[in-house]
Amino acid sequence: EVVKVPTGGGLAWTLPGDGDEQEVKKELIGVILDHYACRAYWPVQYAGGTSPPDCSSLDARKGSRDRIEVNGKPAFGECGTCQYQAWGTGKDGRGQACKKMHRVFILLSDSDSIFPLLLPLPPTSAEGRYEGGLSTYLVKLAGKLKVFDSVKTKIKLIQDKNPDGIAYSKVQFWKVEDLTEEEKKMVRFLGERLKPAMRQKPFETGEYEEKGTENGENEPGTGGKKKDPWD
């Protein structure tokens, strides 16, 4: 199941329930089984449905389509040289036409399922250098000689505003506690067997809907020149 960051600065997660009812939670607590950066490009604005992207990359480096030229500019092939990853190519000249995401798979502590939830994070939550941001959280764990699947993690939402004053939600990651040695063995056993499915999960348009500047992915006045923090 995919659980997306809420729009409009929402501070609660909406999870699928056991039927028609959805479950609303202020925070998610569990173990991260896997995470990785990826890209997906749809040539038209999201309008519903589950159509696959025109080109995608599960490592954010190599696209699924062969390199070609569009209007004299390189497209597809290597993500680093594709025109659609440039800042300013998204809707209304903001962000990137080829959406960059960071997939996080978390196994909830209070779930009776062995399958994790997929949280697709926008760049502001995955790459942003702020307290509780994913990259900051992972570095802090590494500084204590810990890895993401050896601890229990709490995931919360905070609100921020982009330069236009539009509220959007950012994700915060916090360590709850270390897993016991027995729990670590169980988690790694499960993670190893689910990793092929997590790393090869097909993209759907609903995984990253077009929201304009709502998620703060490109500020006005940068002219599309914003540097990719992962480079």
Side-chain angles (χ1 to χ4, degrees), residues 49-193:
T50 57
S51 60
D54 201 45
C55 183
S56 62
S57 173
L58 288 171
D59 62 4
R61 296 179 182 276
K62 175 66 177 176
S64 59
R65 285 189 54 180
D66 293 333
R67 180 187 175 97
I68 61 173
E69 284 199 358
V70 178
N71 298 325
K73 296 181 179 180
F76 314 122
E78 298 295 329
C79 296
T81 57
C82 174
Q83 61 172 302
Y84 296 121
Q85 63 79 41
W87 288 96
T89 56
K91 182 183 177 184
D92 299 327
R94 298 173 182 264
Q96 299 164 298
C98 182
K99 299 300 180 186
K100 191 166 191 180
M101 298 165 279
H102 201 95
R103 285 174 156 182
V104 175
F105 292 85
I106 181 167
L107 184 67
L108 297 184
S109 298
D110 60 357
S111 173
D112 57 1
S113 174
I114 64 168
F115 297 119
L117 292 176
L118 165 56
L119 306 182
L121 303 182
T124 44
S125 291
E127 305 169 355
R129 302 298 192 262
Y130 62 92
E131 191 66 20
L134 178 62
S135 59
T136 303
Y137 176 63
L138 295 175
V139 169
K140 283 190 173 183
L141 285 181
K144 297 178 181 179
L145 301 179
K146 300 181 186 298
V147 290
F148 57 84
D149 62 354
S150 68
V151 300
K152 190 175 291 185
T153 297
K154 176 169 63 178
I155 307 178
K156 299 181 66 175
L157 293 159
I158 58 173
Q159 192 178 98
D160 203 347
K161 290 185 178 180
N162 70 8
D164 291 331
I166 299 175
Y168 67 96
S169 303
K170 292 200 303 188
V171 183
Q172 283 188 314
F173 294 79
W174 302 103
K175 177 192 166 187
V176 176
E177 61 185 7
D178 293 325
L179 298 182
T180 65
E181 290 305 315
E182 186 62 28
E183 287 172 333
K184 290 178 185 178
K185 291 178 183 178
M186 293 172 62
V187 165
R188 285 171 184 165
F189 177 85
L190 183 61
E192 288 172 2
R193 278 147 186 80

Side-chain angles (χ1 to χ4, degrees), residues 192-223:
E192 288 172 2
R193 278 147 186 80
L194 290 179
K195 190 168 185 177
M198 293 188 289
R199 289 280 169 152
Q200 297 170 23
K201 185 186 185 316
F203 288 97
E204 297 179 359
T205 36
E207 190 172 329
Y208 193 113
E209 298 178 17
E210 181 64 72
K211 306 184 190 72
T213 61
E214 191 169 88
N215 61 6
E217 65 178 19
N218 196 22
E219 297 86 353
T222 62

